[in-house]
Amino acid sequence: MSGDTGRRAEPSADTTVLEQAFDGDSLYALRAAVAAHASATGLHRQRVYDVVTAAHELAANAVRHGAGHGQLRLWADGQALRCQVSDDGPDGQDTPGPDAAWKSEHAHGLWIIDQVADHVVLDRGPAGTTVTVTFTISRPG
């Protein structure tokens, strides 16, 4: 995954922030809210789709591998849009054993995120996982 670990991005006081809790039953509503907020930043339609895809994959990972729920924060500062997903589940809570037949199917979501985002920061620890993805906002020239 491109990016670094250990640094959490935080929105400044003058940015619009979407903060939304989620669980497995609310991923649809989360995607709709992310799409609306990302579109409002002026991102092109494909980039809005990329943001929604990344947000969904991160939230689904938090539900599947983390605590079963989490918190999404989305903010833009005119230069970039950032999407941060956090959960308070222990790192590796759902790590499959060596005999798990579906083991090779994991990690596609993180691979997709790495392909669509401009920057990825992953922070894992005993208190949970936080991933922040950044999408550069390009203005028509």
Side-chain angles (χ1 to χ4, degrees):
M1 193 177 308
S2 68
D4 43 271
T5 61
R7 286 185 332 184
R8 285 191 180 180
E10 294 292 332
S12 64
D14 61 343
T15 59
T16 302
V17 177
L18 165 66
E19 292 194 44
Q20 189 163 331
F22 62 85
D23 61 17
D25 294 332
S26 62
L27 293 179
Y28 177 80
L30 183 73
R31 289 190 305 269
V34 168
H37 279 74
S39 183
T41 67
L43 286 172
H44 296 289
R45 183 183 305 178
Q46 180 59 48
R47 292 303 275 169
V48 170
Y49 178 77
D50 292 344
V51 173
V52 172
T53 299
H56 170 78
E57 292 295 337
L58 291 171
N61 279 350
V63 169
R64 172 87 169 102
H65 303 288
H69 60 273
Q71 181 77 19
L72 176 133
R73 297 171 77 195
L74 186 77
W75 70 96
D77 62 9
Q79 308 264 320
L81 178 138
R82 289 179 180 78
C83 176
Q84 184 176 78
V85 173
S86 302
D87 77 79
D88 55 2
D91 181 31
Q93 175 176 318
D94 192 33
T95 304
D99 296 328
W102 46 267
K103 183 172 103 175
S104 64
E105 306 236 349
H106 286 276
H108 291 129
L110 294 177
W111 180 85
I112 290 168
I113 292 164
D114 198 40
Q115 300 306 302
V116 300
D118 294 315
H119 189 71
V120 180
V121 176
L122 175 67
D123 181 20
R124 289 184 181 159
T129 301
T130 298
V131 181
T132 306
V133 293
T134 303
F135 298 86
T136 303
I137 298 174
S138 301
R139 298 288 181 208

